[in-house]
Amino acid sequence: MLQELENNFSELEKKILNLQKSNQNLSEKYLELNKEHTELKAKYDEERKKNQVLAEEQKNIKLYSAISGNPEHNRLMKNHINRLVKEVDFCIAQLQNSGL
């Protein structure tokens, strides 16, 4: 009976040690993955900002092209002018409402 208990205890000790090793490995892997996630998130944010800058540059190039008379971008120029006119009209309406 005592021998059987010792064997069970020994077996439990082995299982506990294996679980501790597994836990340690998983903790290390978690830290590694967390670090990688942080790095990837930073890269993603950087690329997203670059993409926004490039999109703005592309928009400006199209606008400059439309201003220079490129017929492919006439609609873009008309839309831009209409937006500017609406902004001016809005500003005038605000000035009139404020009594200036």
Side-chain angles (χ1 to χ4, degrees), residues 1-86:
M1 174 82 166
L2 185 60
Q3 183 65 30
E4 187 178 317
L5 287 175
E6 286 179 6
N7 287 342
N8 286 342
F9 183 73
S10 177
E11 192 174 312
L12 282 175
E13 266 187 318
K14 288 178 187 178
K15 287 181 180 181
I16 288 172
L17 290 175
N18 285 336
L19 285 173
Q20 286 176 336
K21 285 181 186 179
S22 294
N23 183 38
Q24 180 65 30
N25 290 338
L26 288 173
S27 294
E28 290 171 3
K29 185 70 173 176
Y30 170 78
L31 292 174
E32 183 181 313
L33 289 173
N34 196 21
K35 181 180 176 184
E36 184 180 351
H37 174 263
T38 303
E39 291 171 358
L40 288 173
K41 187 175 180 183
K43 283 183 182 180
Y44 169 77
D45 289 338
E46 183 180 324
E47 291 298 322
R48 191 172 54 111
K49 288 177 185 176
K50 285 181 185 178
N51 188 27
Q52 288 174 342
V53 168
L54 289 174
E56 187 64 32
E57 286 179 13
Q58 182 183 20
K59 181 180 169 184
N60 287 337
I61 289 171
K62 284 182 181 180
L63 185 59
Y64 296 142
S65 178
I67 290 171
S68 68
N70 187 339
E72 293 178 16
H73 301 290
N74 281 343
R75 192 178 97 229
L76 175 68
M77 185 61 185
K78 288 178 185 178
N79 288 341
H80 186 70
I81 290 171
N82 285 339
R83 187 172 45 83
L84 290 174
V85 168
K86 287 179 184 178

